[in-house]
Amino acid sequence: MIQLSGISKSYGEGQVLNHISLQVKEGEILSIIGPSGSGKTTLLNIMSGVLEATHGQVISEASQIGYVFQEDRLVPWLTTEENIRFVAESIESERLSYLIKTMGLQGAEDKRPDEMSGGMRQRASIARAFAYEPDLLLMDEPFKSIDYYLKGKIINALIQVWVERMSTVVFVTHDVEEAIMLADRIIVLGRKPAVILNEIKIQSPRNVDEEAFLKIKKEITNCWEEIK
Ligand SMILES: Nc1ncnc2c1ncn2[C@@H]1O[C@H](COP(=O)(O)OP(=O)(O)OP(=O)(O)O)[C@@H](O)[C@H]1O
Ligand SMILES: [Mg+2]
């Protein structure tokens, strides 16, 4: 679906990404995990095409890209429902209600972003991205400002919606547990200028038992210990 070859990115003198090569297969959920400031948002922006790499090549087959930004970019004067319709004009009412319900936003259909909490806005952004029916969905820390219990529910909802439509998903996080709960594969970035430190393929994606969970978690944190 998308292939990055030898991507490097510098902002002026400061190099952020150093020769990143990766491939995302159709229907796959890939998590990119890395410390704060390692260049995760930069990498997503390059994948989406809004930012150009300094070196390297992006080959993308995506025709419809959904993007859940790190800071929600809901239209401030529109309600939740209107924000969703804004990107998906012809969405059926039934589908709209389903997305609102799955994201736990019942009762907030007619609220504007400034009337909602950060977590609600984040969930509205996720609902909006799904309504757009992207073939490639990019999400930048989509579960931040969502509390632990609700996060589990939202991740399950996301899996449910993903199973129905099988979009290709790339999501960025610095939360190891989120990555393990959702991904088929995890790419671990180091500190700036980021290289790929490790790539972990999950044996039973979205169904990881406790033992495997701890093992993967250790593998990821060990990568960062080594570069401290
Ligand atoms: N437009 C820009 N101009 C100059 N430097 C930038 C720009 N955008 C990002 N950077 C720098 O590039 C580095 C990586 O930023 P980026 O936002 O990609 O990191 P991140 O991994 O997404 O961080 P976080 O986890 O905090 O969101 C940071 O040091 C940041 O200051
Ligand atoms: Mg970021």
Side-chain angles (χ1 to χ4, degrees), residues 11 16 34-43 70 140-141 174 192:
Y11 293 109
V16 178
S36 185
S38 57
K40 302 181 297 297
T41 299
T42 301
L43 191 57
Q70 190 163 7
D140 197 350
E141 311 230 8
H174 53 243
K192 192 173 79 164

Side-chain angles (χ1 to χ4, degrees), residues 177-188:
E177 296 186 1
E178 265 172 39
I180 303 172
M181 278 166 82
L182 193 50
D184 290 289
R185 197 156 54 96
I186 301 174
I187 282 182
V188 187

Side-chain angles (χ1 to χ4, degrees), residues 79-81 96-97 99-112 115-116 120 123:
T79 65
T80 301
E81 205 171 295
L96 179 71
S97 310
L99 287 171
I100 285 186
K101 183 161 171 270
T102 356
M103 290 303 149
L105 286 168
Q106 307 98 307
E109 294 89 338
D110 299 325
K111 287 194 184 342
R112 289 192 318 271
E115 299 172 303
M116 299 196 288
M120 288 164 87
R123 283 179 277 141

